[in-house]
Amino acid sequence: MNLKDSKSKLVFSELSDFKKIAEIDIEKINQAQDLEEWKIKYLGRKSFLTNVLRDIKNYDISERPAIGSEANKIRKFLGNLFEEKQNIIKNNQQSSLGAFDYSLSGRIPNIGRLHPVTQTIREVCSAFSSLGFQIQEGPEVEWDLYNFDLLNIPKNHPARDMWDTLWIDEEEIEGKKMLLRTHTSPMQARIMEKNDPPIRVVIPGKCYRYEATDSTHEWHFNQIEGLAIDTNLNFTDLKGTLYDFARKIFGSERKIRFRCDYFPFVEPGVDMSIDWNNDWIEILGAGMVHPKVLESVGYDPEKYSGFAFGVGVERIAMIRHGIDDIRHFYGNDMRFLSQF
Ligand code: DAH
């Protein structure tokens, strides 16, 4: 083996070490300046790689093509590594600029709030809760049994016409029909069925009616039902409770009027109005729970008595905020909603 031969053997292993070290070195780099230095060291004019190619004539003539091709392969490989790294550094710089650009003015977050109807529901419920009423909720899809029959409104009774009903388009199940509840009153029977007196409860919730909409009517709206049952409740308890509620919501100066009204599930029945723009506006129906309703849930009407009421939530919100059209509540117009 002559001198040139052994030199050729050595250069292959040196090239391979050189490549490995260059790779390890570039791994750690994350600054453009360091990358430039890396390029000079491994691909520059004085680099080992350039030397090998320049001095190729020092190697055995038969080995020159192999050495040349190996060295060029490595040069290409390192050139690619360099470009990749360059891109990474550039991208990092750009994204860190974006994330930390303190000169940009901040975005003001949109803070949400409760819908005015929800606010009213909460205020009314808390007025009753301070009088000792519990708060419950019930199903919006109801049986006609609870919505009508158990409230002393039997099938084919003309009083059913007071509530234009959205029926669920389903076969009758064992003679029972489903509907979207037309009022929150069906919860009276559901609660009495499951509990013994004394009962004091308010039930807020959505109701639905098959009605054309106008400034005071929506096909869906909210009510708050109230029910109190005990051994000795009478009409003064009903009046006292509703007066107290009205004072809490509208202030002590507000005038209130009770009038006789008819609802099949109370006897006597009344409606309550408050003064508004030199006129009266009705905000709820109420009355002493009808003995037939007590009987239908298995209460003894000789032993127990009570009163019930149903408050129109949107009406109250309209009066409190001076809103002239109920449809504003459900138009999803931020210009309207963000005022509350
Ligand atoms: N449920 C009645 C309606 O929607 C309102 C009502 C009247 C509820 C009298 C009552 C009541 O509890 O006693 O028109």
Side-chain angles (χ1 to χ4, degrees):
M1 196 161 76
N2 64 29
L3 199 64
K4 275 191 175 169
D5 241 7
S6 60
K7 224 177 150 194
S8 305
K9 296 254 153 54
L10 191 61
V11 80
F12 280 109
S13 82
E14 279 177 339
L15 278 172
S16 149
D17 289 348
F18 170 81
K19 180 183 160 199
K20 266 183 226 150
I21 292 167
E23 264 185 284
I24 292 169
D25 257 9
I26 203 169
E27 266 299 301
K28 298 176 234 155
I29 289 175
N30 49 29
Q31 304 275 1
Q33 176 70 28
D34 296 340
L35 186 62
E36 274 314 308
E37 280 166 20
W38 179 91
K39 190 185 181 187
I40 291 165
K41 183 169 172 193
Y42 293 99
L43 292 165
R45 274 186 298 124
K46 289 181 187 152
S47 69
F48 171 70
L49 193 65
T50 311
N51 281 343
V52 169
L53 285 165
R54 188 173 46 222
D55 301 338
I56 198 98
K57 59 182 177 307
N58 293 343
Y59 299 100
D60 189 87
I61 191 144
S62 62
E63 294 283 5
R64 283 179 202 165
I67 293 170
S69 122
E70 181 63 15
N72 274 321
K73 232 195 270 167
I74 291 173
R75 194 220 282 280
K76 202 162 179 199
F77 176 79
L78 296 182
N80 287 341
L81 278 190
F82 172 80
E83 269 174 32
E84 266 170 37
K85 193 50 133 194
Q86 205 172 33
N87 285 336
I88 291 172
I89 290 173
K90 215 197 271 167
N91 285 343
N92 280 350
Q93 267 174 351
Q94 272 164 359
S95 63
S96 65
L97 262 186
F100 295 106
D101 186 354
Y102 295 109
S103 65
L104 273 180
S105 52
R107 291 196 195 125
I108 298 169
N110 255 335
I111 298 170
R113 68 190 84 194
L114 293 175
H115 190 279
V117 168
T118 308
Q119 290 179 27
T120 307
I121 290 173
R122 294 200 180 177
E123 281 162 29
V124 173
C125 283
S126 97
F128 282 111
S129 135
S130 70
L131 292 171
F133 283 74
Q134 291 182 310
I135 300 165
Q136 288 240 350
E137 283 183 305
E140 288 171 32
V141 180
E142 226 351 323
W143 296 108
D144 64 347
L145 175 76
Y146 289 98
N147 198 85
F148 292 126
D149 298 55
L150 294 177
L151 292 172
N152 192 29
I153 320 168
K155 296 201 169 48
N156 303 321
H157 193 284
R160 285 202 178 197
D161 296 345
M162 288 167 72
W163 296 273
D164 296 300
T165 307
L166 285 154
W167 294 94
I168 299 286
D169 199 7
E170 274 284 327
E171 290 286 306
E172 287 185 12
I173 304 170
E174 293 165 14
K176 299 191 290 184
K177 285 180 79 182
M178 266 189 207
L179 47 79
L180 294 182
R181 68 177 173 196
T182 58
H183 48 180
T184 43
S185 304
M187 277 302 285
Q188 291 187 22
R190 283 187 178 273
I191 284 166
M192 288 190 280
E193 256 180 4
K194 290 221 174 74
N195 301 278
D196 288 328
I199 286 173
R200 269 186 204 81
V201 66
V202 285
I203 308 110
K206 282 202 186 80
C207 308
Y208 304 83
R209 292 203 191 155
Y210 183 53
E211 268 182 352
T213 60
D214 63 31
S215 63
T216 54
H217 294 89
E218 261 289 2
W219 66 274
H220 100 282
F221 54 93
N222 289 268
Q223 281 190 343
I224 297 175
E225 190 75 16
L227 179 70
I229 308 281
D230 211 332
T231 44
N232 224 342
L233 289 178
N234 54 45
F235 200 78
T236 54
D237 298 306
L238 162 80
K239 277 186 92 173
T241 304
L242 294 180
Y243 264 119
D244 196 89
F245 146 74
R247 274 190 219 111
K248 283 196 165 83
I249 297 293
F250 299 107
S252 52
E253 298 304 309
R254 213 64 184 256
K255 287 200 195 88
I256 292 156
R257 181 185 75 177
F258 281 97
R259 274 192 323 186
C260 290
D261 202 344
Y262 169 71
F263 301 98
F265 33 92
V266 283
E267 179 59 35
V270 294
D271 59 50
M272 187 175 114
S273 305
I274 65 162
D275 71 309
W276 193 49
N277 295 341
N278 293 326
D279 201 358
W280 295 103
I281 182 163
E282 191 184 318
I283 57 166
L284 60 85
M288 299 307 291
V289 178
H290 200 290
K292 279 197 179 160
V293 174
L294 296 174
E295 267 167 14
S296 72
V297 293
Y299 283 7
D300 178 0
E302 297 293 323
K303 188 171 168 196
Y304 296 118
S305 61
F307 59 87
F309 52 88
V311 182
V313 177
E314 283 82 355
R315 278 277 171 92
I316 296 203
M318 286 168 79
I319 297 166
R320 292 197 68 188
H321 301 297
I323 297 162
D324 57 1
D325 195 322
I326 192 172
R327 291 168 294 193
H328 286 314
F329 288 124
Y330 303 109
N332 282 335
D333 187 337
M334 285 306 290
R335 290 169 304 177
F336 171 77
L337 293 173
S338 59
Q339 299 175 68
F340 305 98

